[in-house]
Amino acid sequence: MSETQISKEIADFVRKNFPQVRFTRLHCGLAKGWRGGIIKLSEEGWPDYIGYLPDGRFIGIEIKDPSGKTDKARKAKQTARGSDIIATGGVYIILTSVEDANKKIGELVNGL
C-alpha cells in the first residue's frame, strides 16, 4: 500500500473515531500553478497533518510507509521540526497504520 493510501486511511479513521482531534492536510514543497507558474507551498519538513488536540495542544502527524525510505535531507528536516514541536509544548507523532493511529491517538485523547 502506498503512503498516500495509508495517509487517507489514517485520516478517515481518526476523523471517524476521534472527532475531537481537529487536523488538516499540509502540503509542502512546490506545485505547478495555473498558467504554468510555480506555487510555493509550506516549507519542507512540516508534518503531513497539523491540528490541535481537545486540550488545545498543537499536534503534528507524520505519515510513513513502513517499507518506504525518506531522503536524508528531508528526514533531517522532519526530525528537526518534530523536535521543535515537542520543545514548544506540542505533540509530534509518526504513524504507519490505522492500528498505530488508534493506539497513539487513543493514548493522547484518553490521557487527558
Side-chain angles (χ1 to χ4, degrees):
M1 183 180 308
S2 74
E3 193 169 293
T4 301
Q5 291 169 311
I6 294 169
S7 179
K8 182 177 178 353
E9 283 189 7
I10 289 172
D12 290 346
F13 175 83
V14 173
R15 284 189 177 101
K16 180 180 178 186
N17 294 281
F18 300 101
Q20 65 275 49
V21 177
R22 310 284 190 206
F23 64 97
T24 190
R25 179 82 167 100
L26 183 65
H27 295 279
C28 300
L30 302 174
K32 197 175 196 179
W34 189 59
R35 294 187 180 172
I38 300 293
I39 300 169
K40 184 174 193 291
L41 306 172
S42 64
E43 296 174 10
E44 233 182 46
W46 278 93
D48 296 313
Y49 293 93
I50 59 170
Y52 53 92
L53 294 168
D55 64 359
R57 287 182 295 164
F58 177 88
I59 185 169
I61 303 170
E62 183 65 35
I63 307 296
K64 291 290 179 199
D65 173 352
S67 62
K69 292 189 178 186
T70 303
D71 174 76
K72 263 185 165 179
R74 177 177 284 180
K75 186 173 184 171
K77 289 176 184 178
Q78 290 171 342
T79 301
R81 182 69 66 188
S83 295
D84 188 48
I85 289 169
I86 292 167
T88 57
V91 174
Y92 177 77
I93 57 175
I94 298 171
L95 303 177
T96 59
S97 66
V98 166
E99 295 77 23
D100 202 19
N102 189 36
K103 179 180 185 283
K104 290 178 181 176
I105 297 199
E107 288 172 356
L108 287 168
V109 170
N110 297 325
L112 298 177

